Amino acid sequence: MLTEAMIRKQVSEAAKKARQTTPLAGSITNFVTVDFVANAQLAVGGSAAMVYLPDEARSLVRLGSSFYINVGTLLPVYAESVPAAMDEAAATDKPWVLDPVALGIGTLRTELLQHARSCHPAVIRGNASEIIALADLWKLSHGGGAGVRGVDATDTVEAAETAAIALARYTKGAVAVSGKKDLITDGTHVLTAEGGSPLMEKVTGCGCSLGGVIAVYAAVTDPFTAACCGTFAYNLAGESASSVADGPASFKSAFIDNLYTLTDKLDTAKFSLTEV
Amino acid sequence: MLTEAMIRKQVSEAAKKARQTTPLAGSITNFVTVDFVANAQLAVGGSAAMVYLPDEARSLVRLGSSFYINVGTLLPVYAESVPAAMDEAAATDKPWVLDPVALGIGTLRTELLQHARSCHPAVIRGNASEIIALADLWKLSHGGGAGVRGVDATDTVEAAETAAIALARYTKGAVAVSGKKDLITDGTHVLTAEGGSPLMEKVTGCGCSLGGVIAVYAAVTDPFTAACCGTFAYNLAGESASSVADGPASFKSAFIDNLYTLTDKLDTAKFSLTEV
Amino acid sequence: MLTEAMIRKQVSEAAKKARQTTPLAGSITNFVTVDFVANAQLAVGGSAAMVYLPDEARSLVRLGSSFYINVGTLLPVYAESVPAAMDEAAATDKPWVLDPVALGIGTLRTELLQHARSCHPAVIRGNASEIIALADLWKLSHGGGAGVRGVDATDTVEAAETAAIALARYTKGAVAVSGKKDLITDGTHVLTAEGGSPLMEKVTGCGCSLGGVIAVYAAVTDPFTAACCGTFAYNLAGESASSVADGPASFKSAFIDNLYTLTDKLDTAKFSLTEV
């Protein structure tokens, strides 16, 4: 069983290793926040590359140390490229991170997220509503309810706890639920983290770029620690940025600067740990 | 007939309502400035989501309170998704905002803007050249001339007045012409607004994101007031940002911060009102 | 033969002319950094427009004074639109800039870069690995070796010198190799430039946007001078921005501001010149 002290040590080591080794974490991600994803990945020490074609997705999975798939803004070619990337990651044992954005607004999105089931993402990151909806889609038994959802969470993080645990047990990876408090679980441990800023809801892509950052960390550590690293970094960077921001744009700038400077302090993050 | 005082009251109320209700204004918008559109929509209190597939566009129109369509960077799938969104908005009486970027540089763009004619956008926002070109395409009688145009206006706002009035009378909505001075009309009233900054021409997406912001306001008020809200917000935020900016990037950051902080002061905007 | 003094004079004149004439440099460029490309082009005085459809690409080449093609994130339609833009530029003698990103990760990318061979780009800009790989693809004899590469350079700028010279002699244009030191050649002269900041590697799109900026300058001067203008601007803006930045995001903001304010000082850039 993990202890708080062990987690603090592991996130510290992983953050350092990411900065030292510049791991390539390729992505298929949405067009709205792709620049933020790349810049956040670079800020924490990783290397970023984005593709959309099936053969390029397969190549990039093989070239990189991990991969990030965000189904935020689909184009027709995603029907081939997303499964290609998922399959290649599964076949080559590359850890990959899934961001199941806005499940329910179209048929392709549902198909892609259904396909993800057999490819076992190392980390699933989403808001509470997305995590509940994904557990439902994958027919994993849990306590929450779900419906058609947009990009914003209508459920609380607490309400997604059982769904998150069910998903983590199924994938044998980790699940990170983002919200006012954040929840991270590997199916055995449940960690609750605090920090961040209300301004993060006023900047598009905080969730997406967190997924990309977790993918960078997944290249250098286990899924649960990777999810902790990313979440802690976002909480620390957000809290610090909100103290100097005049609004959402200056917040975003300070936030990315902080990702660059604060990732050697991940062991100072506020969290609590329980077992299930 | 509207008075200046009525307009000041209406924009104040709409700005407040947007911040209180966080209306979802989905978009199909160009890839260059999509991040700016989303962040501007969030800054004024709205919620943003972007899609490109036809079925997702229909879903998002139904889920949201308004919609924004910008034809700035077309992909093949837009041939289906843009008409789908327009048709769904018309069928469900959702107010939608059209940004008729760069009419004339390709055949699909012309087809999509022709299709828009029967779907009656609540607000049309463009630069003077785009407004004149659209009135021509829709064969609405007006005093201006037009030709093939790029993304930058080659006509003055004044030259687009009759085209804007003709479009507004046809759609029974509002038209906002952006320029050094801005012109807003519902076919009966013509409002001329001042403010902003020359630096707005040095930042890509000020026009696109204004369209997205008008869509947020169109979710909570009538088209003419929505066009005023957005235009006033941009003039105030731009004027204030230019006093602290060292160049276009610091201007953009201050501008978005201002959208977040100044939208409770829309009633202080500079404008004059006439009837036609 | 060029002298240092001549180059300083030429870059000064070109920078001024770009600010005075606002040349339109259209682009087909990747989705990650498209906003940065457009904003950098505007900052140095140009006008920006991006397209993806074949007929729009042809129109935009004709409407503009130069063009920029970056093959960073391909979609299926690029199979038609990129060759269309290249062919139109060649047919109409418009100077165009090629950024051969990540050659080797997929078949379409290779085909497009092979097609570029017969369309003689005025300037080729890339990192050392991309320049070596392109010279190999085009079967130009040179001293370096090459392999499959990602988005980051694994070769030094010095190692790419012979490949750069070979490419420039073939295209009768210029080649700019970006790195810690930058190398620019027209096949006869080899210029080495200094400046910039290590933070430029922590911001996505510094290379892409440099390509777009060179395209702006290629509209108003010869290819070699255009490559110098862009490279000098990036070195000056980067060096100055690093002195005020707290991290990569504040660096990027200061950098774009500097592109806007420092382009009247391009003649102060640090470089040395040799002949081959």
Side-chain angles (χ1 to χ4, degrees), chain A residues 243-273:
Chain A
S243 67
V244 300
D246 295 319
S250 51
F251 174 82
K252 182 180 175 182
S253 179
F255 177 79
I256 294 174
D257 281 357
N258 287 343
L259 288 182
Y260 182 69
T261 54
L262 290 183
T263 45
D264 57 354
K265 294 178 185 162
L266 293 195
D267 58 341
T268 66
K270 282 175 279 189
F271 67 88
S272 63
L273 185 68

Side-chain angles (χ1 to χ4, degrees), chain C residues 57-70:
Chain C
R58 287 186 182 274
S59 286
L60 189 54
V61 169
R62 287 193 302 270
L63 278 171
S65 303
S66 58
F67 207 79
Y68 173 52
I69 297 179
N70 173 305

